[in-house]
Amino acid sequence: MIRQRPPTARGFAFFVLEDASARIQAVISPALWEAHRALLRDARALIVQGEAAVHGRAVTLKVQRLSELPLGSWASAAD
């Protein structure tokens, strides 16, 4: 995962998720960033909901809701 919050993006943040078959760019508005700053900084896994747009192989997700995905105690052993 790559997180970007460039100063030229007017407060928007971008999370890029990529594997061998797909790349998804999640776009987070300034208001959502401020409301969930600690979650975005500290969570080990997130549940992200929003509106997706597909253009060829590129997928962009305009994030509308965020929550933490509880990993449980087994995740600590995998670190």
Side-chain angles (χ1 to χ4, degrees):
M1 176 183 72
I2 300 168
R3 180 180 75 179
Q4 300 174 338
R5 195 163 183 246
T8 57
R10 299 184 327 243
F12 283 84
F14 306 92
F15 283 69
V16 179
L17 308 170
E18 189 171 8
D19 67 10
S21 63
R23 176 183 172 156
I24 298 173
Q25 178 170 284
V27 180
I28 299 172
S29 70
L32 195 59
W33 177 272
E34 289 302 321
H36 297 285
R37 177 187 300 262
L39 179 67
L40 288 162
R41 181 189 64 226
D42 300 335
R44 296 183 62 210
L46 294 170
I47 298 171
V48 180
Q49 296 173 304
E51 184 178 323
V54 180
H55 301 284
R57 292 183 45 176
V59 179
T60 302
L61 179 67
K62 182 179 177 185
V63 179
Q64 297 168 338
R65 292 179 27 173
L66 294 164
S67 58
E68 186 169 8
L69 176 64
L71 295 178
S73 60
W74 62 269
S76 297
D79 287 341

